[in-house]
Amino acid sequence: MPQFQSVLSVRAFLPLAAALAMGAAPRQADQLAVTLRPDMADGAVAGVAVAMDLPAPADGTLLLAAPVVYPGAPGVGDRLSGLAVSDALGPVPLAMSEDAPVKGGFPWYRHWRATRAVQGQVAIRYRAAVMQAGGPGGPAFGLRAVGGGLAASGGGFLLLPENRDALPARLHWDLSAMAKGASAAISYGAGDVVVPGGAQALADSWFIAGPLGHWPATGTRDGFAGTWLGQPVFDVPTALARAGAAHRYLQGHFPHMKAQRAYRIFVQFRDAAPYGGGTALDQSFMLSRGPLAPGEKGEMPSSLFFHEMIHQWTGQIEAPSGISSWFSEGLTTYYEDDLQWRGGFESADAYLDAVNRLARRYFTSKARNMAAADVVKIGFGDEEVRHIVYYRAAMYFHDLDARIRAHSHGQRNLESVLFPLFLSREQGVRFDTEAWLAAVSRELGDAGERDRFKRLILDGTDTLDPLPDSFGPCFARVAAQWDTPHGHVDGWQWQRAAPPAGACR
């Protein structure tokens, strides 16, 4: 699991005897067996009793960890109670430690280490309480009571073994305390599932249980499925059917990940703030939102659906946590409306609206010229600041696409550089900022690309002056001015233009 380090005084909220007696998933050799049993209070989920069983590591060392802080979910470790560990010799004593705090709301961890060697089968029991309504915004990672059920990421409520990642996880749900008809799913499938990725994959998965809606009603459609919880504020089945078509298009567009695994969308409709937004994890994403605001229409969030699914293909670049967002979030933001338009999922006018919204957010942001390292320090404490890396890098990618087209006289574009990198990354070749800059410099034959990138993306000292056709020949650049709380700002917007003969892109 993630190596962010962390002493917990566990309060006995779940009686120890009940925790030890809790039924667990059937054991198999060399598996991490996990049973989750939600408990209810006044019709709402109050917590989840967790039972884990695993074979002792060969060297007898047992290491456990849970977050002290997870994005949007501070206090994960503090909401754990009744922790009890035992093995073939009886109760296992634990020593605890804690990481140095990390700025910006990013994860840091609390650790438990067995003070003697463990033997045989190890049983771990504890209870995770739900987060109460309110609290910080940010991704919907924390364990929340929603619509008679629960929604969370694994990182938002699970204490997991750190040194048994190689074990596949066998997950069993005990929904006996929930209303009749309750069901459950995680990123890797509905109901009881085996997760080959083990503890790390559980931490990186979405969890949902309760009176769920499913699309399709049973199974999947071309490996795609959707699950929702709570009172919908838009037509979820129609939105999921559209998202399924978009997923098929994305599978065809990108050259890599052709052996694409199943994909699942989760939607939770909360009746109390914070509402969360959309966040992608492996082969899945969660949308969390609240009731309609006064005057708001119940529209399908198509761009958000595209954005979160595209993360599956744009993936990651090797860089420090937070700094890497210039690629993972910036490129995904570049693609979210670009591919909607190219794939026929939105009109040219809708694309133009998205272009100008992106440009306005970049030029008017109070963080436009903030260094990436300073953005990370603020992190989830200020959403306008945190999102500048999305907008700044997306504008950089649009401009870079135009520069490559101009340099090659229209024979090549941004994807001529990206697609070979995607394929090599899939084959295990290290992909970091240096690899990116080397590829761009080879493409443009300009050794100054490194300094340009540093000034625009990492240092933020330069403001981008994008080429007029950064968004293709269908759109022309025009000067724009805005009055903002932090002063008058000049920048660029785009308008429809008569393109040359042939397609716009």
Side-chain angles (χ1 to χ4, degrees):
M1 63 185 296
Q3 297 302 308
F4 308 91
Q5 294 186 344
S6 169
V7 165
L8 177 62
S9 173
V10 181
R11 296 176 298 276
F13 193 70
L14 177 71
L16 181 59
L20 291 172
M22 177 184 167
R27 298 175 183 175
Q28 290 189 12
D30 297 326
Q31 280 193 343
L32 169 64
V34 181
T35 292
L36 302 179
R37 188 182 71 191
D39 57 74
M40 311 291 288
D42 299 324
V45 172
V48 178
V50 182
M52 294 184 180
D53 294 275
L54 67 155
D59 65 358
T61 301
L62 179 66
L63 303 174
L64 307 172
V68 178
V69 170
Y70 215 64
V76 175
D78 296 331
R79 287 187 292 278
L80 302 181
S81 61
L83 176 62
V85 179
S86 63
D87 67 354
L89 301 178
V92 175
L94 302 171
M96 294 169 285
S97 62
E98 192 168 294
D99 294 349
V102 175
K103 292 183 178 180
F106 291 97
W108 52 288
Y109 281 74
R110 185 169 290 157
H111 305 270
W112 294 260
R113 182 185 183 98
T115 58
R116 65 165 173 82
V118 293
Q119 298 181 23
Q121 199 74 7
V122 179
I124 303 164
R125 303 290 187 267
Y126 61 92
R127 180 181 184 273
V130 299
M131 295 183 69
Q132 297 304 304
F141 287 138
L143 178 64
R144 298 275 186 173
V146 179
L150 67 88
S153 74
F157 78 104
L158 290 177
L159 174 151
L160 290 163
E162 288 189 278
N163 60 331
R164 297 298 269 150
D165 273 355
L167 290 176
R170 193 164 185 262
L171 176 65
H172 168 66
W173 290 90
D174 177 353
L175 304 180
S176 57
M178 288 186 151
K180 184 178 180 180
S183 57
I186 70 170
S187 297
Y188 300 95
D192 293 357
V193 294
V194 174
V195 182
Q200 181 62 68
L202 290 175
D204 291 340
S205 182
W206 293 110
F207 291 70
I208 196 166
L212 307 180
H214 297 276
W215 187 94
T218 59
T220 67
R221 187 166 298 178
D222 297 325
F224 178 90
T227 308
W228 67 95
L229 177 65
Q231 183 60 49
V233 298
F234 57 83
D235 184 345
V236 184
T238 298
L240 291 173
R242 179 182 170 89
H247 189 260
R248 290 191 295 275
Y249 166 72
L250 294 173
Q251 283 183 306
H253 178 79
F254 289 102
H256 59 308
M257 296 177 63
K258 290 306 183 184
Q260 174 69 28
R261 296 164 294 170
Y263 196 91
R264 187 175 294 270
I265 290 177
F266 299 90
V267 187
Q268 54 170 303
F269 295 95
R270 297 180 180 176
D271 56 13
Y275 303 122
T279 306
L281 293 175
D282 190 33
Q283 66 187 74
S284 62
F285 80 84
M286 172 73 77
L287 169 62
S288 172
R289 69 145 298 153
L292 294 176
E296 181 185 4
K297 296 180 180 179
E299 297 177 345
M300 292 181 288
S302 297
S303 289
L304 185 148
F305 276 32
F306 256 81
H307 180 105
E308 301 302 339
M309 286 191 292
I310 289 168
H311 271 298
Q312 186 79 354
W313 285 273
T314 52
Q316 298 289 332
I317 193 168
E318 296 289 338
S321 179
I323 299 293
S324 61
S325 294
W326 77 265
F327 186 87
S328 59
E329 293 293 357
L331 183 60
T332 304
T333 302
Y334 161 83
Y335 266 133
E336 69 179 62
D337 282 284
D338 187 80
L339 289 183
Q340 281 195 87
W341 181 36
R342 282 201 267 169
F345 291 89
E346 76 177 13
S347 67
D349 286 340
Y351 179 66
L352 178 61
D353 288 343
V355 163
N356 285 328
R357 186 164 55 249
L358 171 64
R360 182 179 68 253
R361 286 171 170 170
Y362 168 64
F363 286 113
T364 64
S365 174
K366 65 184 181 183
R368 186 185 67 192
N369 297 111
M370 184 178 289
D374 293 331
V375 172
V376 172
K377 291 175 183 176
I378 295 171
F380 294 92
D382 188 318
E383 289 297 284
E384 181 182 354
V385 171
R386 185 172 73 87
H387 280 93
I388 187 57
V389 297
Y390 296 49
Y391 312 140
R392 185 162 66 192
M395 292 292 292
Y396 160 79
F397 284 119
H398 280 291
D399 177 65
L400 181 59
D401 178 59
R403 293 170 65 219
I404 294 172
R405 286 188 277 110
H407 182 76
S408 65
H409 305 288
Q411 298 305 301
R412 292 172 64 81
N413 59 21
L414 177 64
E415 291 183 332
S416 304
V417 178
L418 279 172
F419 282 4
L421 292 171
F422 285 154
L423 289 167
S424 66
R425 181 184 62 187
E426 185 177 44
Q427 294 162 5
V429 177
R430 180 179 173 84
F431 177 51
D432 55 16
T433 303
E434 177 56 34
W436 168 254
L437 293 174
V440 174
S441 296
R442 285 194 302 269
E443 182 69 30
L444 295 175
D446 182 0
E449 281 301 314
R450 285 174 171 78
D451 287 340
R452 184 174 190 271
F453 174 87
K454 185 175 184 293
R455 294 193 306 270
L456 285 171
I457 302 300
L458 298 183
D459 295 343
T461 52
D462 285 5
T463 299
L464 184 69
D465 186 17
L467 291 181
D469 67 338
S470 289
F471 298 92
C474 280
F475 308 102
R477 188 183 70 175
V478 293
Q481 297 178 332
W482 297 273
D483 288 320
T484 73
H486 45 278
H488 180 81
V489 175
D490 293 323
W492 301 102
Q493 293 273 267
W494 278 259
Q495 62 186 18
R496 292 292 293 272
C504 288
R505 302 212 64 169

mmCIF file of all heavy atoms in Angstrom, residues 404-435:
data_model
loop_
_atom_site.group_PDB
_atom_site.id
_atom_site.type_symbol
_atom_site.label_atom_id
_atom_site.label_comp_id
_atom_site.label_asym_id
_atom_site.label_seq_id
_atom_site.Cartn_x
_atom_site.Cartn_y
_atom_site.Cartn_z
ATOM 1 N N ILE A 404 3.307 21.569 -32.937
ATOM 2 C CA ILE A 404 3.738 20.369 -33.660
ATOM 3 C C ILE A 404 3.115 20.334 -35.052
ATOM 4 O O ILE A 404 3.786 19.997 -36.040
ATOM 5 C CB ILE A 404 3.380 19.106 -32.854
ATOM 6 C CG1 ILE A 404 4.197 19.063 -31.561
ATOM 7 C CG2 ILE A 404 3.620 17.835 -33.689
ATOM 8 C CD1 ILE A 404 3.776 17.958 -30.597
ATOM 9 N N ARG A 405 1.854 20.700 -35.151
ATOM 10 C CA ARG A 405 1.210 20.752 -36.473
ATOM 11 C C ARG A 405 1.912 21.754 -37.390
ATOM 12 O O ARG A 405 2.143 21.481 -38.576
ATOM 13 C CB ARG A 405 -0.273 21.095 -36.329
ATOM 14 C CG ARG A 405 -1.116 19.952 -35.798
ATOM 15 C CD ARG A 405 -2.603 20.227 -35.832
ATOM 16 N NE ARG A 405 -3.058 20.992 -34.667
ATOM 17 C CZ ARG A 405 -3.475 22.239 -34.693
ATOM 18 N NH1 ARG A 405 -3.482 22.920 -35.849
ATOM 19 N NH2 ARG A 405 -3.881 22.837 -33.589
ATOM 20 N N ALA A 406 2.245 22.910 -36.832
ATOM 21 C CA ALA A 406 2.922 23.932 -37.641
ATOM 22 C C ALA A 406 4.319 23.475 -38.056
ATOM 23 O O ALA A 406 4.732 23.647 -39.219
ATOM 24 C CB ALA A 406 3.000 25.240 -36.859
ATOM 25 N N HIS A 407 5.056 22.895 -37.138
ATOM 26 C CA HIS A 407 6.429 22.465 -37.417
ATOM 27 C C HIS A 407 6.473 21.366 -38.482
ATOM 28 O O HIS A 407 7.413 21.311 -39.286
ATOM 29 C CB HIS A 407 7.077 21.975 -36.119
ATOM 30 C CG HIS A 407 8.498 21.544 -36.271
ATOM 31 N ND1 HIS A 407 9.542 22.440 -36.404
ATOM 32 C CD2 HIS A 407 9.070 20.294 -36.329
ATOM 33 C CE1 HIS A 407 10.682 21.781 -36.526
ATOM 34 N NE2 HIS A 407 10.418 20.480 -36.482
ATOM 35 N N SER A 408 5.461 20.489 -38.478
ATOM 36 C CA SER A 408 5.435 19.349 -39.405
ATOM 37 C C SER A 408 4.597 19.630 -40.643
ATOM 38 O O SER A 408 4.347 18.706 -41.427
ATOM 39 C CB SER A 408 4.888 18.117 -38.692
ATOM 40 O OG SER A 408 3.527 18.306 -38.321
ATOM 41 N N HIS A 409 4.151 20.881 -40.806
ATOM 42 C CA HIS A 409 3.280 21.257 -41.934
ATOM 43 C C HIS A 409 2.030 20.375 -41.983
ATOM 44 O O HIS A 409 1.588 19.927 -43.043
ATOM 45 C CB HIS A 409 4.050 21.179 -43.256
ATOM 46 C CG HIS A 409 5.304 21.999 -43.267
ATOM 47 N ND1 HIS A 409 5.285 23.389 -43.316
ATOM 48 C CD2 HIS A 409 6.606 21.631 -43.202
ATOM 49 C CE1 HIS A 409 6.529 23.838 -43.285
ATOM 50 N NE2 HIS A 409 7.354 22.802 -43.213
ATOM 51 N N GLY A 410 1.481 20.131 -40.796
ATOM 52 C CA GLY A 410 0.215 19.409 -40.697
ATOM 53 C C GLY A 410 0.330 17.901 -40.764
ATOM 54 O O GLY A 410 -0.693 17.207 -40.738
ATOM 55 N N GLN A 411 1.552 17.363 -40.806
ATOM 56 C CA GLN A 411 1.715 15.917 -40.925
ATOM 57 C C GLN A 411 1.684 15.198 -39.581
ATOM 58 O O GLN A 411 1.470 13.986 -39.530
ATOM 59 C CB GLN A 411 3.039 15.610 -41.640
ATOM 60 C CG GLN A 411 3.114 16.156 -43.051
ATOM 61 C CD GLN A 411 1.961 15.680 -43.920
ATOM 62 O OE1 GLN A 411 1.782 14.476 -44.104
ATOM 63 N NE2 GLN A 411 1.165 16.601 -44.430
ATOM 64 N N ARG A 412 1.948 15.920 -38.500
ATOM 65 C CA ARG A 412 1.993 15.310 -37.178
ATOM 66 C C ARG A 412 1.264 16.196 -36.180
ATOM 67 O O ARG A 412 0.980 17.371 -36.468
ATOM 68 C CB ARG A 412 3.455 15.074 -36.746
ATOM 69 C CG ARG A 412 4.147 14.011 -37.591
ATOM 70 C CD ARG A 412 5.633 13.918 -37.283
ATOM 71 N NE ARG A 412 5.928 13.480 -35.923
ATOM 72 C CZ ARG A 412 5.913 12.217 -35.502
ATOM 73 N NH1 ARG A 412 5.571 11.240 -36.330
ATOM 74 N NH2 ARG A 412 6.228 11.914 -34.249
ATOM 75 N N ASN A 413 0.947 15.623 -35.011
ATOM 76 C CA ASN A 413 0.260 16.393 -33.979
ATOM 77 C C ASN A 413 0.704 15.889 -32.601
ATOM 78 O O ASN A 413 1.629 15.077 -32.492
ATOM 79 C CB ASN A 413 -1.265 16.306 -34.151
ATOM 80 C CG ASN A 413 -1.784 14.882 -34.087
ATOM 81 O OD1 ASN A 413 -1.136 13.979 -33.554
ATOM 82 N ND2 ASN A 413 -2.967 14.659 -34.636
ATOM 83 N N LEU A 414 0.040 16.353 -31.567
ATOM 84 C CA LEU A 414 0.418 15.971 -30.208
ATOM 85 C C LEU A 414 0.404 14.459 -30.017
ATOM 86 O O LEU A 414 1.289 13.894 -29.370
ATOM 87 C CB LEU A 414 -0.528 16.641 -29.200
ATOM 88 C CG LEU A 414 -0.316 16.297 -27.730
ATOM 89 C CD1 LEU A 414 1.058 16.785 -27.248
ATOM 90 C CD2 LEU A 414 -1.433 16.907 -26.869
ATOM 91 N N GLU A 415 -0.581 13.790 -30.589
ATOM 92 C CA GLU A 415 -0.675 12.351 -30.399
ATOM 93 C C GLU A 415 0.445 11.592 -31.099
ATOM 94 O O GLU A 415 0.730 10.439 -30.744
ATOM 95 C CB GLU A 415 -2.048 11.856 -30.845
ATOM 96 C CG GLU A 415 -3.149 12.351 -29.912
ATOM 97 C CD GLU A 415 -4.516 11.837 -30.253
ATOM 98 O OE1 GLU A 415 -4.775 11.547 -31.439
ATOM 99 O OE2 GLU A 415 -5.345 11.754 -29.324
ATOM 100 N N SER A 416 1.087 12.207 -32.084
ATOM 101 C CA SER A 416 2.265 11.590 -32.698
ATOM 102 C C SER A 416 3.383 11.414 -31.675
ATOM 103 O O SER A 416 4.214 10.509 -31.796
ATOM 104 C CB SER A 416 2.770 12.438 -33.870
ATOM 105 O OG SER A 416 1.759 12.645 -34.832
ATOM 106 N N VAL A 417 3.406 12.268 -30.672
ATOM 107 C CA VAL A 417 4.374 12.163 -29.580
ATOM 108 C C VAL A 417 3.825 11.301 -28.458
ATOM 109 O O VAL A 417 4.518 10.438 -27.902
ATOM 110 C CB VAL A 417 4.741 13.563 -29.042
ATOM 111 C CG1 VAL A 417 5.706 13.461 -27.867
ATOM 112 C CG2 VAL A 417 5.348 14.406 -30.151
ATOM 113 N N LEU A 418 2.564 11.504 -28.115
ATOM 114 C CA LEU A 418 1.974 10.824 -26.958
ATOM 115 C C LEU A 418 1.848 9.319 -27.153
ATOM 116 O O LEU A 418 2.185 8.537 -26.254
ATOM 117 C CB LEU A 418 0.583 11.391 -26.677
ATOM 118 C CG LEU A 418 0.483 12.696 -25.914
ATOM 119 C CD1 LEU A 418 -0.965 13.175 -25.916
ATOM 120 C CD2 LEU A 418 0.986 12.537 -24.483
ATOM 121 N N PHE A 419 1.343 8.895 -28.298
ATOM 122 C CA PHE A 419 0.974 7.490 -28.444
ATOM 123 C C PHE A 419 2.171 6.543 -28.312
ATOM 124 O O PHE A 419 2.057 5.505 -27.641
ATOM 125 C CB PHE A 419 0.229 7.273 -29.756
ATOM 126 C CG PHE A 419 -1.218 7.721 -29.719
ATOM 127 C CD1 PHE A 419 -1.750 8.342 -28.592
ATOM 128 C CD2 PHE A 419 -2.052 7.516 -30.816
ATOM 129 C CE1 PHE A 419 -3.081 8.754 -28.548
ATOM 130 C CE2 PHE A 419 -3.384 7.916 -30.781
ATOM 131 C CZ PHE A 419 -3.895 8.530 -29.654
ATOM 132 N N PRO A 420 3.329 6.829 -28.909
ATOM 133 C CA PRO A 420 4.484 5.939 -28.646
ATOM 134 C C PRO A 420 4.883 5.909 -27.177
ATOM 135 O O PRO A 420 5.311 4.871 -26.668
ATOM 136 C CB PRO A 420 5.589 6.553 -29.520
ATOM 137 C CG PRO A 420 4.867 7.283 -30.600
ATOM 138 C CD PRO A 420 3.645 7.833 -29.941
ATOM 139 N N LEU A 421 4.738 7.034 -26.474
ATOM 140 C CA LEU A 421 5.056 7.063 -25.047
ATOM 141 C C LEU A 421 4.069 6.213 -24.248
ATOM 142 O O LEU A 421 4.455 5.518 -23.302
ATOM 143 C CB LEU A 421 5.064 8.502 -24.542
ATOM 144 C CG LEU A 421 6.189 9.388 -25.071
ATOM 145 C CD1 LEU A 421 5.954 10.839 -24.673
ATOM 146 C CD2 LEU A 421 7.547 8.906 -24.568
ATOM 147 N N PHE A 422 2.786 6.275 -24.613
ATOM 148 C CA PHE A 422 1.798 5.428 -23.944
ATOM 149 C C PHE A 422 2.152 3.952 -24.102
ATOM 150 O O PHE A 422 2.079 3.163 -23.151
ATOM 151 C CB PHE A 422 0.407 5.680 -24.528
ATOM 152 C CG PHE A 422 -0.244 6.968 -24.110
ATOM 153 C CD1 PHE A 422 -1.194 7.568 -24.936
ATOM 154 C CD2 PHE A 422 0.066 7.581 -22.913
ATOM 155 C CE1 PHE A 422 -1.813 8.753 -24.559
ATOM 156 C CE2 PHE A 422 -0.544 8.766 -22.530
ATOM 157 C CZ PHE A 422 -1.489 9.351 -23.362
ATOM 158 N N LEU A 423 2.517 3.561 -25.317
ATOM 159 C CA LEU A 423 2.833 2.161 -25.581
ATOM 160 C C LEU A 423 4.076 1.715 -24.834
ATOM 161 O O LEU A 423 4.113 0.614 -24.270
ATOM 162 C CB LEU A 423 2.999 1.946 -27.086
ATOM 163 C CG LEU A 423 1.694 2.018 -27.895
ATOM 164 C CD1 LEU A 423 1.995 2.116 -29.391
ATOM 165 C CD2 LEU A 423 0.807 0.813 -27.614
ATOM 166 N N SER A 424 5.110 2.560 -24.804
ATOM 167 C CA SER A 424 6.332 2.173 -24.097
ATOM 168 C C SER A 424 6.097 2.118 -22.592
ATOM 169 O O SER A 424 6.621 1.232 -21.904
ATOM 170 C CB SER A 424 7.476 3.127 -24.439
ATOM 171 O OG SER A 424 7.229 4.437 -23.961
ATOM 172 N N ARG A 425 5.290 3.045 -22.057
ATOM 173 C CA ARG A 425 4.964 3.011 -20.627
ATOM 174 C C ARG A 425 4.228 1.717 -20.283
ATOM 175 O O ARG A 425 4.491 1.093 -19.253
ATOM 176 C CB ARG A 425 4.114 4.227 -20.257
ATOM 177 C CG ARG A 425 3.731 4.316 -18.783
ATOM 178 C CD ARG A 425 2.812 5.495 -18.520
ATOM 179 N NE ARG A 425 1.559 5.382 -19.254
ATOM 180 C CZ ARG A 425 0.636 6.341 -19.300
ATOM 181 N NH1 ARG A 425 0.833 7.486 -18.674
ATOM 182 N NH2 ARG A 425 -0.475 6.160 -19.986
ATOM 183 N N GLU A 426 3.315 1.306 -21.164
ATOM 184 C CA GLU A 426 2.568 0.066 -20.946
ATOM 185 C C GLU A 426 3.500 -1.146 -20.912
ATOM 186 O O GLU A 426 3.233 -2.131 -20.202
ATOM 187 C CB GLU A 426 1.528 -0.102 -22.052
ATOM 188 C CG GLU A 426 0.609 -1.298 -21.876
ATOM 189 C CD GLU A 426 -0.436 -1.373 -22.964
ATOM 190 O OE1 GLU A 426 -0.089 -1.167 -24.145
ATOM 191 O OE2 GLU A 426 -1.600 -1.652 -22.649
ATOM 192 N N GLN A 427 4.609 -1.066 -21.625
ATOM 193 C CA GLN A 427 5.574 -2.158 -21.670
ATOM 194 C C GLN A 427 6.577 -2.098 -20.526
ATOM 195 O O GLN A 427 7.502 -2.912 -20.464
ATOM 196 C CB GLN A 427 6.307 -2.124 -23.010
ATOM 197 C CG GLN A 427 5.400 -2.419 -24.200
ATOM 198 C CD GLN A 427 5.992 -1.976 -25.534
ATOM 199 O OE1 GLN A 427 7.138 -1.522 -25.583
ATOM 200 N NE2 GLN A 427 5.204 -2.098 -26.586
ATOM 201 N N GLY A 428 6.403 -1.129 -19.615
ATOM 202 C CA GLY A 428 7.238 -1.057 -18.429
ATOM 203 C C GLY A 428 8.395 -0.104 -18.512
ATOM 204 O O GLY A 428 9.198 -0.019 -17.574
ATOM 205 N N VAL A 429 8.516 0.648 -19.605
ATOM 206 C CA VAL A 429 9.581 1.636 -19.728
ATOM 207 C C VAL A 429 9.256 2.827 -18.821
ATOM 208 O O VAL A 429 8.118 3.315 -18.806
ATOM 209 C CB VAL A 429 9.730 2.106 -21.191
ATOM 210 C CG1 VAL A 429 10.797 3.194 -21.309
ATOM 211 C CG2 VAL A 429 10.074 0.919 -22.089
ATOM 212 N N ARG A 430 10.247 3.277 -18.088
ATOM 213 C CA ARG A 430 10.029 4.405 -17.182
ATOM 214 C C ARG A 430 9.599 5.637 -17.969
ATOM 215 O O ARG A 430 10.234 6.016 -18.966
ATOM 216 C CB ARG A 430 11.303 4.715 -16.391
ATOM 217 C CG ARG A 430 11.144 5.899 -15.420
ATOM 218 C CD ARG A 430 12.423 6.146 -14.638
ATOM 219 N NE ARG A 430 12.339 7.363 -13.835
ATOM 220 C CZ ARG A 430 11.795 7.429 -12.625
ATOM 221 N NH1 ARG A 430 11.295 6.349 -12.072
ATOM 222 N NH2 ARG A 430 11.763 8.579 -11.956
ATOM 223 N N PHE A 431 8.530 6.266 -17.500
ATOM 224 C CA PHE A 431 8.026 7.487 -18.142
ATOM 225 C C PHE A 431 8.028 8.596 -17.108
ATOM 226 O O PHE A 431 7.238 8.600 -16.167
ATOM 227 C CB PHE A 431 6.609 7.255 -18.676
ATOM 228 C CG PHE A 431 5.996 8.485 -19.297
ATOM 229 C CD1 PHE A 431 6.672 9.219 -20.255
ATOM 230 C CD2 PHE A 431 4.734 8.909 -18.906
ATOM 231 C CE1 PHE A 431 6.104 10.357 -20.820
ATOM 232 C CE2 PHE A 431 4.157 10.040 -19.469
ATOM 233 C CZ PHE A 431 4.849 10.760 -20.426
ATOM 234 N N ASP A 432 8.962 9.526 -17.252
ATOM 235 C CA ASP A 432 9.068 10.642 -16.326
ATOM 236 C C ASP A 432 9.153 11.945 -17.113
ATOM 237 O O ASP A 432 9.041 11.952 -18.344
ATOM 238 C CB ASP A 432 10.272 10.471 -15.398
ATOM 239 C CG ASP A 432 11.595 10.272 -16.158
ATOM 240 O OD1 ASP A 432 11.645 10.562 -17.370
ATOM 241 O OD2 ASP A 432 12.556 9.822 -15.523
ATOM 242 N N THR A 433 9.328 13.051 -16.399
ATOM 243 C CA THR A 433 9.347 14.359 -17.054
ATOM 244 C C THR A 433 10.493 14.461 -18.048
ATOM 245 O O THR A 433 10.341 15.043 -19.132
ATOM 246 C CB THR A 433 9.434 15.480 -16.004
ATOM 247 O OG1 THR A 433 8.329 15.361 -15.101
ATOM 248 C CG2 THR A 433 9.390 16.847 -16.657
ATOM 249 N N GLU A 434 11.630 13.886 -17.728
ATOM 250 C CA GLU A 434 12.760 13.917 -18.648
ATOM 251 C C GLU A 434 12.434 13.172 -19.936
ATOM 252 O O GLU A 434 12.775 13.628 -21.041
ATOM 253 C CB GLU A 434 14.006 13.320 -17.984
ATOM 254 C CG GLU A 434 15.219 13.249 -18.894
ATOM 255 C CD GLU A 434 15.612 14.589 -19.497
ATOM 256 O OE1 GLU A 434 15.436 15.628 -18.815
ATOM 257 O OE2 GLU A 434 16.079 14.597 -20.661
ATOM 258 N N ALA A 435 11.762 12.023 -19.830
ATOM 259 C CA ALA A 435 11.366 11.280 -21.024
ATOM 260 C C ALA A 435 10.399 12.103 -21.869
ATOM 261 O O ALA A 435 10.477 12.103 -23.110
ATOM 262 C CB ALA A 435 10.741 9.946 -20.630
#
